[in-house]
Structures are given as C-alpha cells and as structure tokens.
Amino acid sequence: LFGSAGASNFLSRATGILAAVFFVTSLGLTYFSTVPSKSGGVTSGIEAPAPKKDATPAAPAPSAPASPAQSQGTGPDIPK
C-alpha cells in the first residue's frame, strides 16, 4: 500500500484527491441551492383525501305548498 517511498507519497495523493472531491461537491451544492425549484415543496404533490359521503342519503328539501289551503291541512287528500 505504501510502497518503498513511504506513507508520504500515498497520503499526498489521497489528500489531493479528497480535496478535489470536496471542491466538486461544494460547487455542485452551491449550484443546486441557487437554481430556483419548480415545485412548491415536499407536500405540494399530495392531494387532500376526498370527504366521506354518508351511507344514508339526505332527505329532500320540503317543497313550498301550492296554496294556503294545503298548508293548513284542508286539502282534498288529507282527511279531517
């Protein structure tokens, strides 16, 4: 691993390679932090769940009576 030249040659090369990797990663992170992102964030793509519907249907709204006589219960179909 170290060879006849000793550890200094190996450590010098390793230091140079690691320094180059550090510079490349630093420049890459700087580039990606300055480019505006197109997404709104991590949760922007998540859709809200649909509201649950009741199992029983809602009662229809009462209709307005046709005449005042029917509203008092004196219509032809309601016995007195």
Side-chain angles (χ1 to χ4, degrees):
L1 178 66
F2 296 114
S4 61
S8 65
N9 192 17
F10 171 74
L11 292 176
S12 296
R13 286 185 183 209
T15 302
I17 291 171
L18 291 176
V21 169
F22 174 76
F23 285 127
V24 168
T25 56
S26 296
L27 291 173
L29 288 172
T30 303
Y31 172 74
F32 287 121
S33 69
T34 59
V35 173
S37 67
K38 294 181 182 178
S39 68
V42 176
T43 59
S44 65
I46 299 174
E47 294 181 17
K52 293 183 178 181
K53 294 184 178 181
D54 293 336
T56 58
S63 61
S67 68
Q70 286 182 351
S71 65
Q72 296 175 359
T74 59
D77 57 341
I78 301 174
K80 291 186 180 180

